[in-house]
């Protein structure tokens, strides 16, 4: 109601969209939500998106608006994500306690140093704090979307950002970014279980652009079914990829380490040669 009242003064019609993580986890519902947002914009209705707290439980919660904003930005392939908070951007340390803290005007890439600064940062409002904002930046950056994090209390802050003024912290997008579908695989679908692969399989996936075959699978953790998203890990626990599986965890546990020619005799059927096809695989930084 407050959004409606405020925008009515400017002659802008708004409409509320309530989502849970389930709505972006399932591809059909993800596309329906995307189409709804585009239809509203075509009719000059501004979507106001929030989490549907009425039906959300822990398993289907976004948890914070930073995560929700990142998923919506990738869903609609936005040109820019602006995150407004109670500090002016990302500082080298907590500006509330460190008088030497300096605002970073530009960040080319999220690395361990930037994440460490975010953990030391402070945000009074919302569930996430600065670290969840940086995680949101990582998500949209992979999709080719730049981000501005800045203070939301200053008059005219959005106009300043859109005019290109140096406001807050500007995060550049990754130059080689994921397609909309691969962004959905990497970030919107919840990962179910883990597939542990050997070094040969990891090299084939990350360096040679190959699909994951049963012969490269060392172990299976958790439960998943055909079409679920699963994490690919090295034996030491490094998560380096995600993808949509062609075999459930119980089936994969039976054929792990085997040649593709043996799938038929072990399972009694063979729909696919690959555990995860390259087209359904996303490498993680």
């Amino acid at each position: 109601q407050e959004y409606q009242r405020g925008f009515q003064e400017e002659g802008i019609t708004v409409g509320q969209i309530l989502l849970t993580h389930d709505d972006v986890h399932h591809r059909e519902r993800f596309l329906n939500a995307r189409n709804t947002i585009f239809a509203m914009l075509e009719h000059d209705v501004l979507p106001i998106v929030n989490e549907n707290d009425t039906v959300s439980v822990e398993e289907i919660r976004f948890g914070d608006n930073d995560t929700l904003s990142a998923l919506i930005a990738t869903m609609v392939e936005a040109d820019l994500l602006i995150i407004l908070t109670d500090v002016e951007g990302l500082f080298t340390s907590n500006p509330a306690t460190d008088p030497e803290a300096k605002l970073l005007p530009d960040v080319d890439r999220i690395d361990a140093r930037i994440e460490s600064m975010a953990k030391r940062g402070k945000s009074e409002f919302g569930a996430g704090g600065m670290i969840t904002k940086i995680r949101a930046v990582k998500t949209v950056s992979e999709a080719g979307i730049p981000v501005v994090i800045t203070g939301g209390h200053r008059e005219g802050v959005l106009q300043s950002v859109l005019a290109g003024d140096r406001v807050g912290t500007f995060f550049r997008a990754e130059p080689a970014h994921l397609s909309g579908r691969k962004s959905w695989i990497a970030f919107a679908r919840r990962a179910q279980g883990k597939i542990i692969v050997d070094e040969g399989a990891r090299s084939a996936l990350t360096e040679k652009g190959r699909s994951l075959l049963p012969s490269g699978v060392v172990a299976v953790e958790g439960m998943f079914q055909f079409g679920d998203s699963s994490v690919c890990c090295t034996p030491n626990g490094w998560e380096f990829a995600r993808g949509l599986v062609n075999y459930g965890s119980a089936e994969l546990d039976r054929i792990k380490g085997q040649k593709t020619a043996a799938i038929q005799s072990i399972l009694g059927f063979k729909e696919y040669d690959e555990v995860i096809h390259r087209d359904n695989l996303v490498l993680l930084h």
Side-chain angles (χ1 to χ4, degrees), residues 252-271:
L252 182 54
D253 193 48
R254 294 173 60 191
I255 62 173
K256 66 178 185 291
Q258 301 292 326
K259 301 291 187 183
T260 54
I263 296 177
Q264 175 72 41
S265 60
I266 295 173
L267 298 181
F269 66 92
K270 187 181 78 168
E271 300 292 343

Side-chain angles (χ1 to χ4, degrees), residues 14-90:
V14 301
Q16 187 178 51
I17 294 180
L18 299 177
L19 296 174
T20 68
H21 207 300
D22 253 13
D23 296 318
V24 298
H25 175 78
H26 296 282
R27 184 65 174 170
E28 183 177 359
R29 289 161 68 175
F30 174 91
L31 293 175
N32 286 343
R34 169 186 162 95
N35 292 338
T36 296
I37 291 174
F38 286 153
M40 293 173 71
L41 294 173
E42 288 171 6
H43 289 83
D44 295 324
V45 177
L46 183 66
I48 306 295
V49 186
N50 208 342
E51 182 161 14
N52 192 346
D53 296 319
T54 305
V55 299
S56 287
V57 294
E58 190 62 34
E59 290 78 10
I60 60 172
R61 286 184 62 84
F62 293 102
D64 60 85
N65 281 335
D66 302 320
T67 300
L68 176 58
S69 72
L71 291 174
I72 295 300
T74 56
M75 174 187 288
V76 301
E77 299 176 48
D79 297 308
L80 176 69
L81 172 61
I82 304 171
I83 299 178
L84 301 181
T85 183
D86 60 323
V87 292
E88 289 303 311
L90 177 64

Side-chain angles (χ1 to χ4, degrees), residues 90 104 106-118 130-142 145 147 149 169-174 285:
L90 177 64
L104 296 181
D106 296 281
V107 174
D108 291 326
R109 187 167 188 175
I110 305 298
D111 54 21
R113 181 180 66 93
I114 296 299
E115 290 185 331
S116 177
M117 291 178 187
M130 189 57 70
I131 189 62
T132 64
K133 292 171 177 54
I134 295 303
R135 289 170 183 158
V137 172
K138 289 179 69 173
T139 296
V140 298
S141 176
E142 294 274 7
I145 302 170
V147 183
I149 297 179
T169 303
F170 176 72
F171 298 83
R172 289 179 173 81
E174 291 282 347
H285 288 300

Side-chain angles (χ1 to χ4, degrees), residues 19 21 38 122 154 198 262 276:
L19 296 174
H21 207 300
F38 286 153
K122 183 181 181 183
R154 186 159 53 82
D198 60 26
I276 301 177

